[in-house]
């Protein structure tokens, strides 16, 4: 089938149709109200929902769904459409209708309402028709996260400092990061402007008595900063933010060729207590294929240096699906990473998005190269080695409709990751591409604060960009003195 058309009078249901169908058939483009021979007619005109599937112009399935609460809300519509598609296509989805939401957050909310874990599971299975194993997974994660998220405090925020600069572009990456020039002029310009934002934001937060709960320096590749630049950034953060009660300080030293002993010593001296070293794969061929031009040994050496410097919390990321790696090749990488014993291992499912070299070169967006058993096997293997899931998120266009899961050794959760996903604490994003969230507990909602993504624009318009953000903070936390 080249494409599928949904015929529907009410545009209100367009997105649920698109979202749900894409979960089953991501490779088939969805259009609306085109009289195609392959289509699904959606009819709500008679007070019941009638779904009719046509293939090559012939009706192949028709179902009628009665609903009590009128008008039909989107989630209930998705539920009926899901049942219809299961029958039409011939299989169920592990995540049921859990699309476009943060699954663990749903479980948090129910636990917070006072429901028992068993009630949470029953409620989620009923509402989203997801598999028992997925609901079990997210309920377990939510239970473990509660003690980290609560109690809430309006006087605490997490701070994310973004350095969207890299030494080369990985082929799978769709993140808007700028590849630095040889002389790294753009890096120094960016740092200068970033420091301006750190100072203004930090002073404002201090003035309002707002402390930093967790601090995360992410990228891009923050370790692209040279030793002097790193020292300057970390000193400024120490001076400008209230770090007295800091629970976690993470630095992404993602690519080993940008990290050295001196940089790690600087991080340690400034109180960084969690370092991310992200191999993505330990397979030399895959590293080369995705434009990460260093040997796997470089990861092992950097890991050793990280430990020598005395870091007690290390995260390592692996991506499932890079370069169409075989299951065996992935398990080899996983085995090598587990053998190192980092406190956190994050397993991402490759998401091929617009802007990545893979998408541009091949046009392919989603494949399903691994069996369900294999994915469950990864979790089992990590479990056997003492790692348990502590945070989870899903994103569009992941291979095999998978999820990204952070695993940790006992009591070694990455706190920022949990807070970021839970959306119960304000996140202050500093720097290009950072995304902040200002949380309003009374209504359990947050306002997003975006910062322009590309470094060039950020450098050109820093004052204007930062001033606009400051105005948003003032509207939320109160005016500057
Ligand atoms: S994956 Fe990370 S290191 Fe690679 S280009 Fe993207 S941001 Fe840079």
């Amino acid at each position: 089938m080249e494409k599928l058309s949904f015929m529907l009078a009410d545009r209100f249901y367009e997105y649920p149709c698109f979202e749900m169908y894409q979960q089953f058939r991501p490779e088939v483009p969805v259009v609306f109200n085109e009289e195609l021979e392959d289509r699904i007619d959606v009819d709500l005109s008679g007070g019941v929902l009638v779904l009719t599937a046509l293939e090559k112009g012939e009706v192949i399935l028709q179902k009628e769904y009665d609903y009590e609460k009128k008008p039909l809300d989107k989630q209930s519509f998705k539920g009926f459409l899901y049942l219809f598609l299961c029958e039409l296509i011939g299989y169920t989805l592990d995540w049921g209708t859990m699309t476009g939401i943060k699954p663990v957050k749903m479980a948090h909310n129910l636990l917070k309402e006072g429901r028992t874990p068993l009630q949470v599971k029953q409620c989620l299975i009923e509402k989203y028709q997801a598999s028992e194993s997925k609901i079990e997974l997210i309920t377990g994660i939510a239970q473990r996260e509660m003690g980290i998220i609560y109690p809430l405090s309006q006087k605490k925020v997490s701070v994310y400092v973004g350095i969207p600069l890299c030494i080369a572009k990985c082929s799978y990456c769709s993140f808007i990061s700028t590849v630095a020039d040889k002389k790294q002029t753009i890096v120094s310009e960016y740092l200068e402007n970033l420091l301006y934002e750190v100072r203004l934001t930090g002073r404002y937060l201090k003035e309002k008595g707002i402390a930093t709960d967790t601090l995360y320096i992410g990228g891009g590749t923050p370790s692209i900063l040279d030793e002097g630049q790193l020292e300057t950034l970390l000193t400024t953060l120490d001076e400008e933010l209230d770090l007295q009660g800091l629970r976690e300080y993470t630095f992404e030293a993602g690519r080993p060729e940008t990290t050295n002993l001196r940089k790690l010593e600087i991080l340690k001296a400034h109180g960084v207590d969690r370092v991310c070293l992200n191999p993505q794969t330990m397979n030399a061929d895959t590293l080369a294929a995705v434009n990460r031009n260093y040997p796997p040994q470089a990861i092992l050496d950097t890991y050793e240096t990280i430990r020598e410097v005395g870091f007690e919390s290390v995260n390592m990321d692996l991506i499932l699906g890079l370069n169409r790696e075989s299951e065996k090749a992935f398990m080899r990488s996983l085995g090598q990473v587990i053998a190192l014993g980092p406190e956190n291992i994050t397993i991402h499912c490759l998401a091929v998005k617009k802007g990545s070299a893979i998408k541009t070169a091949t046009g392919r967006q989603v494949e399903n190269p691994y069996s369900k058993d294999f994915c469950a096997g990864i979790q089992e293997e990590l479990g056997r080695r003492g790692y348990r899931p502590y945070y989870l998120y899903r994103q569009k266009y992941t291979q095999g409709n998978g999820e990204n899961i952070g695993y940790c050794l006992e009591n070694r959760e990455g706190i920022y990751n949990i807070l970021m996903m839970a959306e119960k604490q304000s996140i202050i994003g500093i720097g290009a591409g950072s995304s902040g969230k200002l949380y309003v507990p009374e209504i359990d909602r947050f306002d997003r604060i975006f910062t322009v993504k590309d470094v060039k624009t950020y450098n050109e318009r820093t004052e204007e960009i930062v001033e606009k953000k400051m105005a948003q903070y003032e509207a939320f936390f109160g005016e500057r003195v």
Side-chain angles (χ1 to χ4, degrees):
M1 186 192 317
E2 258 178 44
K3 55 183 175 177
L4 177 108
S5 177
F6 275 94
M7 304 294 290
L8 72 177
D10 193 342
R11 298 203 60 175
F12 181 71
Y13 302 108
E14 269 189 12
Y15 195 69
C17 289
F18 168 79
E19 222 185 1
M20 216 56 257
Y21 193 76
Q22 286 281 295
Q23 298 295 312
F24 283 92
R25 305 288 305 273
E27 72 288 359
V28 178
V30 170
V31 294
F32 293 95
N33 295 329
E34 282 184 28
E35 284 277 354
L36 302 180
E37 290 206 315
D38 295 320
R39 63 174 200 265
I40 294 176
D41 295 343
V42 179
D43 182 6
L44 283 132
S45 59
V48 288
L49 170 66
V50 181
L51 297 171
T52 309
L54 289 90
E55 194 178 282
K56 298 196 173 82
E58 299 289 324
V59 173
I60 53 167
L61 182 68
Q62 185 169 62
K63 290 272 165 184
E64 192 176 297
Y65 302 96
D66 202 355
Y67 50 95
E68 281 171 19
K69 247 175 63 193
K70 306 207 167 140
L72 182 60
D73 64 87
K74 277 186 188 167
Q75 184 56 41
S76 309
F77 174 80
K78 259 165 88 172
F80 292 133
L81 180 60
Y82 173 71
L83 290 174
F84 183 76
L85 292 174
C86 288
E87 193 169 335
L88 179 69
I89 296 171
Y91 58 87
T92 57
L93 299 173
D94 273 353
W95 285 104
T97 63
M98 275 196 159
T99 56
I101 54 171
K102 293 194 163 61
V104 180
K105 198 176 156 185
M106 298 297 116
H108 286 148
N109 290 346
L110 293 169
L111 287 170
K112 195 63 193 156
E113 282 171 15
R115 307 215 196 177
T116 64
L118 184 65
Q119 288 168 331
V120 172
K121 285 179 212 164
Q122 285 166 343
C123 176
L124 292 176
I125 289 175
E126 196 179 310
K127 184 164 183 190
Y128 297 105
Q129 304 176 58
S131 72
E132 257 189 76
S133 63
K134 294 294 181 200
I135 295 298
E136 182 85 35
L137 172 67
I138 59 171
T139 308
I141 292 176
Q143 278 178 274
R144 289 193 281 278
E145 289 183 351
M146 294 299 272
I148 289 175
I149 298 166
Y150 294 97
L152 304 182
S153 165
Q154 279 294 80
K155 286 291 178 190
K156 284 183 188 167
V157 294
S158 283
V159 175
Y160 177 89
V161 179
I163 306 195
L165 292 158
C166 295
I167 52 164
K169 190 80 182 167
C170 308
S171 66
Y172 56 85
C173 181
S174 60
F175 180 71
I176 301 192
S177 66
T178 303
V179 174
D181 51 305
K182 275 236 162 76
K183 287 189 182 160
Q184 301 223 341
T185 319
I186 197 162
V187 180
S188 4
E189 278 171 14
Y190 179 67
L191 179 63
E192 200 177 304
N193 295 316
L194 184 70
L195 293 176
Y196 171 80
E197 186 175 353
V198 169
R199 288 191 187 103
L200 244 72
T201 312
R203 282 170 204 172
Y204 172 75
L205 292 174
K206 262 193 186 167
E207 183 189 299
K208 294 290 157 206
I210 296 167
T212 307
D213 189 20
T214 70
L215 177 53
Y216 193 107
I217 304 179
T221 311
S223 42
I224 197 170
L225 299 179
D226 67 26
E227 292 78 356
Q229 291 168 331
L230 199 55
E231 180 69 51
T232 307
L233 173 63
L234 300 192
T235 303
T236 310
L237 287 165
D238 289 346
E239 287 168 358
E240 304 297 349
L241 295 171
D242 174 358
L243 302 179
Q244 297 284 327
L246 196 65
R247 274 199 286 173
E248 181 186 82
Y249 193 168
T250 302
F251 186 90
E252 278 186 3
R255 293 179 66 130
E257 72 273 49
T258 59
T259 308
N260 61 34
L261 174 65
R262 183 68 200 120
K263 289 187 191 180
L264 290 165
E265 285 171 345
I266 293 168
L267 296 177
K268 184 80 182 147
H270 283 274
V272 170
D273 57 11
R274 182 170 179 268
V275 174
C276 301
L277 171 67
N278 300 328
Q280 317 302 13
T281 172
M282 294 298 283
N283 179 341
D285 293 343
T286 308
L287 282 171
V290 300
N291 200 28
R292 289 174 81 95
N293 297 310
Y294 51 82
Q297 185 61 40
I299 297 159
L300 303 177
D301 295 344
T302 306
Y303 185 85
E304 206 180 308
T305 315
I306 289 171
R307 291 306 198 191
E308 272 168 23
V309 173
F311 288 101
E312 290 177 4
S313 186
V314 180
N315 172 68
M316 298 181 89
D317 282 3
L318 287 175
I319 301 178
L320 178 61
L322 282 182
N323 200 31
R324 300 177 182 179
E325 272 187 339
S326 67
E327 296 182 355
K328 222 168 144 189
F330 180 82
M331 289 313 275
R332 253 199 321 269
S333 286
L334 181 63
Q336 282 179 268
V337 167
I338 289 175
L340 292 171
E343 285 65 28
N344 299 166
I345 298 177
T346 311
I347 309 290
H348 296 268
C349 286
L350 177 65
V352 180
K353 296 187 190 167
K354 269 188 204 152
S356 66
I358 297 179
K359 173 79 174 90
T360 311
T362 65
R364 80 189 161 91
Q365 192 120 14
V366 185
E367 290 179 339
N368 198 352
Y370 306 110
S371 66
K372 275 187 192 176
D373 286 352
F374 174 64
C375 295
I378 293 172
Q379 207 175 313
E380 278 164 25
E381 176 59 13
L382 281 156
R384 271 194 292 275
R385 308 298 292 266
Y387 291 91
R388 56 184 196 173
Y390 79 91
Y391 93 112
L392 174 151
Y393 68 98
R394 303 187 65 219
Q395 56 182 340
K396 279 185 193 158
Y397 307 122
T398 48
Q399 311 305 287
N401 201 10
E403 59 277 334
N404 302 318
I405 303 181
Y407 295 85
C408 68
L409 294 175
E410 189 71 20
N411 297 325
R412 304 310 299 270
E413 291 85 358
I415 302 173
Y416 173 84
N417 291 332
I418 291 175
L419 297 174
M420 180 68 180
M421 286 298 147
E423 297 177 330
K424 298 281 189 234
Q425 183 186 71
S426 293
I427 308 278
I428 302 295
I430 299 178
S434 64
S435 151
K437 295 174 184 176
L438 299 179
Y439 179 65
V440 190
E442 294 77 21
I443 50 169
D444 193 27
R445 287 273 158 86
F446 59 85
D447 296 333
R448 277 188 188 278
I449 298 206
F450 294 104
T451 313
V452 61
K453 287 187 174 165
D454 83 291
V455 170
K456 193 166 167 283
T457 313
Y458 182 84
N459 281 345
E460 284 165 2
R461 296 176 25 212
T462 312
E463 283 188 26
E464 175 199 331
I465 290 164
V466 175
E467 207 38 57
K468 199 171 149 209
K469 288 170 75 174
M470 293 306 298
Q472 288 174 279
Y473 297 145
E474 284 187 285
F476 189 81
F477 294 113
E479 284 184 13
R480 274 173 276 187
V481 178

